[in-house]
Amino acid sequence: MSDDDCEALIVGAGFSGLYLLHRLREAGIDARLIDAAEEPGGIWYWNCYPGARVDSQVPLYELSLPELWRDWTWSERYPGWRELRAYFRHACDRLELWPHMAMGRRMTGAAWDEGQRKWRITTGSGETIAARYLLPCLGFAAKAHVPKIAGLESFAGEWHHIGHWPQQGLSMAGRKVAIIGTGASGVQVAQEAAAEAAQLTLLQRTPILALPMRQEALSEEQQEREKADYPALFAARPLTRGGFDVNGVEISALDVDEAERRRLFERQWQAGGLRFWYANFADLLTDERANRHAYDFWRDKTRARITDPALHEILAPSEPPHPFGTKRPSLEQHYYEIFSQDNVSLVDLKRAPIERIVPEGILTAQGLVECDLIVFATGFDAGSGGLTQVEIRGRDDRSLADVWRGGVAAYLGAAVHGFPNLAYLYGPLSPSGFSNGPTAAEIQGDWLRDFLVKLRDGGLTRFEANAEAEREWTASVAAIGAMTLFPRAKSWYMGDNIPGKPRQLINYPSVVGYTNYLDEVAADGYRGFALA
Ligand code: NA7
């Protein structure tokens, strides 16, 4: 036994990993945690690019533990990465997690030892840790996607993916910056680059349907007052579809007249943040005609902010590029205004595709975009990418990457047949990408704690998802997805932002539905698992 051998090894120090570590230790389970990063924070460690901030509002975007929120105050409604990292350090302090955590250790492989009923986990520094349970909490965006573009190696300047931004920071002042990708990350970094760079070029393939954030400075007094409502707010989160504070209204956008429809659209638009997405009409994401009303509202509001009419059709097209909200809408603070600055230009890659990268910049079908810094805001191999990039070998010595080659299959979006004693959190086929992060972390963390306590108390040392339960769960996510408009977009929700990745809905589209299902499984003696 090495000093690190333990009952449960958690991998990842984001919301899911830290919450689980706390809950397991509280329950008397010898749990430890490793993470490749030097500091806790998960996605907020790696994504430290200028402008990186969360687009779920606090206090919804924090853990519900009173020992954490009682003496914590935020400076903004949508905090930036620095403040979020400070929050994670606060959580580790208050919950006294540090002695059980080892930072700077990357899991490079894991193999199941059936004889010993243990996982043997190897790390980048060559250690092996033995653990009864392996609990990866890698987040949805652990593997950055850098598209293969010919000539990148010949580029004379500097390039970075936003998920591997230099920890020491990087000034964009006075530089010629090109950003490839206009998802949530592209929008955030563009707003900062526009203020600093001598020249900024955005290369857009699909327009983002971005919503106004309506950032708000928060005072200590205001938060002290709001804290009286926190317990009710936190109790409501698992009972909503998206893990936020409310659901949408329970009526169809088609059952009301134009004036009433506009009233609700306007209210959620003014409230700001993602509310126009998660607190809209009931059929926003299931009925194309209802969705079209929302799109038209968004387009008209957005066009009113774009001063150059030539950009209207590129940034906010007459016809929707995809149903509104079937790709993640990002939040913006002044994104549409940057296009009226002299130092900012936009390339529509649909008309002028990238041909190759040359030493001076990016060559498109319409000419050279000169630059000395390329920012890849090109997304992630979301959901499964973090798990399959590690060599995880199960019962039959097959790797998870191999088992999932034709598509992801998992029971409850957490356990895989053939991989005993492994449960991953915030991963594919769980609500992850459709859930406010801390809400999912708590629902899954509490459930897993209860499961492992039940095994311990029953003298059991092995669980494995049944093949049939796994098939049913995987099929049910696809079937529920087919009732929505999500398959109408090419997005990371459908797994098909990565060339060659099988197309399937990778997130379970209801937090409350998931919560209820987990409760039923527990009440039914953890059906769907073989226990030994
Ligand atoms: P996203 O949302 O996956 O956005 C990636 C962007 O990069 C998107 O605009 C893509 O265009 C673009 N992209 C990807 N590959 C290419 C290539 N080869 N050429 C040009 N453009 C490309 O990632 P983000 O990091 O912005 O956001 C991820 C999540 O973080 C977000 O959903 C929130 O939950 C927070 P496309 O749309 O595919 O045409």
Side-chain angles (χ1 to χ4, degrees):
M1 291 259 299
S2 90
D3 288 349
D4 293 313
D5 290 353
C6 54
E7 189 71 0
L9 184 73
I10 298 165
V11 186
F15 276 116
S16 296
L18 294 179
Y19 184 78
L20 185 61
L21 180 63
H22 169 61
R23 284 302 190 211
L24 293 186
R25 295 209 64 91
E26 217 180 29
I29 292 174
D30 174 27
R32 313 269 172 92
L33 182 150
I34 60 168
D35 190 309
E38 295 301 325
E39 273 193 62
I43 198 152
W44 303 114
Y45 178 81
W46 301 104
N47 286 256
C48 59
Y49 58 87
R53 65 178 61 252
V54 63
D55 47 20
S56 300
Q57 63 275 31
V58 294
L60 290 174
Y61 194 73
E62 62 186 274
L63 293 171
S64 68
L65 302 168
E67 58 268 49
L68 294 187
W69 56 258
R70 230 182 260 125
D71 61 349
W72 178 263
T73 48
W74 300 98
S75 69
E76 294 177 306
R77 190 61 81 193
Y78 297 89
W81 64 269
R82 274 197 189 80
E83 198 169 6
L84 287 158
R85 268 203 212 175
Y87 172 78
F88 281 93
R89 286 196 296 272
H90 163 75
C92 295
D93 289 343
R94 283 292 177 282
L95 302 175
E96 300 180 6
L97 300 178
W98 295 113
H100 319 295
M101 297 165 56
M103 303 305 294
R105 284 204 202 168
R106 178 178 291 279
M107 169 172 71
T108 50
W112 173 246
D113 177 341
E114 186 69 64
Q116 296 292 314
R117 283 200 178 164
K118 279 188 176 167
W119 280 95
R120 298 200 183 280
I121 297 100
T122 47
T123 70
S125 37
E127 305 132 300
T128 302
I129 304 168
R132 173 85 55 213
Y133 301 111
L134 173 59
L135 311 174
C137 298
L138 307 179
F140 78 99
K143 186 180 176 194
H145 169 56
V146 179
K148 288 192 173 55
I149 303 178
L152 179 57
E153 68 294 340
S154 72
F155 183 53
E158 200 179 345
W159 68 268
H160 299 281
H161 186 281
I162 52 94
H164 292 285
W165 201 257
Q167 289 293 324
Q168 70 278 15
L170 175 71
S171 170
M172 296 189 284
R175 300 182 73 168
K176 291 181 181 164
V177 180
I179 301 175
I180 306 179
T182 53
S185 311
V187 166
Q188 292 189 336
V189 74
Q191 293 173 147
E192 303 299 313
E196 284 187 25
Q199 195 184 305
L200 167 65
T201 310
L202 268 109
L203 294 99
Q204 170 192 288
R205 195 164 63 181
T206 308
I208 180 88
L209 312 185
L211 298 170
M213 174 181 281
R214 306 204 193 286
Q215 177 67 292
E216 183 192 347
L218 294 175
S219 69
E220 235 177 287
E221 298 71 41
Q222 180 182 356
Q223 280 166 93
E224 282 312 312
R225 281 195 305 276
E226 288 180 3
K227 281 179 184 178
D229 299 328
Y230 279 19
L233 201 68
F234 293 136
R237 287 191 308 193
L239 307 176
T240 63
R241 276 196 290 274
F244 290 100
D245 46 350
V246 290
N247 279 328
V249 293
E250 289 303 327
I251 47 168
S252 162
L254 305 173
D255 286 347
V256 295
D257 62 19
E258 178 64 16
E260 194 175 338
R261 209 162 30 233
R262 286 194 70 83
R263 257 199 305 280
L264 178 74
F265 285 161
E266 191 65 42
R267 191 165 68 238
Q268 301 307 31
W269 188 262
Q270 293 308 333
L274 293 171
R275 291 178 187 84
F276 189 77
W277 183 47
Y278 73 75
N280 212 312
F281 286 102
D283 51 356
L284 176 80
L285 295 167
T286 52
D287 186 300
E288 200 155 347
R289 288 169 308 149
N291 189 285
R292 181 62 198 250
H293 286 297
Y295 178 79
D296 289 350
F297 181 91
W298 172 86
R299 180 200 57 213
D300 296 347
K301 285 281 193 194
T302 304
R303 282 189 171 197
R305 292 171 54 192
I306 304 167
T307 47
D308 179 358
L311 294 182
H312 282 185
E313 207 47 41
I314 306 174
L315 287 168
S318 315
E319 291 300 311
H322 45 264
F324 177 82
T326 54
K327 272 179 119 149
R328 172 69 140 67
S330 78
L331 299 188
E332 56 80 33
Q333 292 171 280
H334 54 274
Y335 179 63
Y336 294 104
E337 282 72 24
I338 66 172
F339 297 100
S340 53
Q341 290 180 211
D342 292 339
N343 65 332
V344 177
S345 50
L346 180 67
V347 174
D348 179 1
L349 295 178
K350 290 261 159 68
R351 283 186 217 166
I354 296 174
E355 291 184 342
R356 59 184 292 110
I357 293 177
V358 294
E360 309 77 36
I362 303 170
L363 194 60
T364 75
Q366 283 176 0
L368 178 68
V369 174
E370 235 184 283
C371 56
D372 55 42
L373 171 63
I374 303 177
V375 177
F376 282 88
T378 42
F380 298 85
D381 181 350
S384 56
L387 288 160
T388 55
Q389 72 179 344
V390 181
E391 178 90 349
I392 299 178
R393 293 201 163 267
R395 181 161 48 74
D396 299 327
D397 200 34
R398 279 187 77 191
S399 75
L400 190 59
D402 202 21
V403 170
W404 279 357
R405 204 166 301 284
V408 170
Y411 182 42
L412 308 176
V416 185
H417 180 65
F419 293 78
N421 288 11
L422 180 147
Y424 64 80
L425 300 197
Y426 210 63
L429 304 186
S430 79
S432 60
F434 286 150
S435 173
N436 177 34
T439 311
E442 294 190 0
I443 294 167
Q444 289 195 303
D446 289 343
W447 188 89
L448 190 54
R449 182 258 332 260
D450 291 348
F451 185 35
L452 298 188
V453 165
K454 156 110 181 154
L455 295 179
R456 181 194 61 194
D457 294 351
L460 302 166
T461 54
R462 189 184 192 282
F463 72 82
E464 183 176 348
N466 295 335
E468 187 51 31
E470 178 179 287
R471 254 194 306 278
E472 268 175 28
W473 181 262
T474 305
S476 79
V477 177
I480 298 169
M483 294 190 265
T484 71
L485 298 174
F486 286 108
R488 299 285 313 278
K490 192 169 179 337
S491 71
W492 66 261
Y493 289 153
M494 294 300 300
D496 59 356
N497 63 323
I498 303 297
K501 190 169 172 177
R503 184 173 161 79
Q504 77 184 111
L505 186 67
I506 60 161
N507 303 297
Y508 186 86
S510 168
V511 170
V512 59
Y514 186 76
T515 307
N516 292 339
Y517 200 92
L518 287 187
D519 287 348
E520 276 172 33
V521 168
D524 209 5
Y526 296 94
R527 69 164 188 259
F529 288 101
L531 308 179

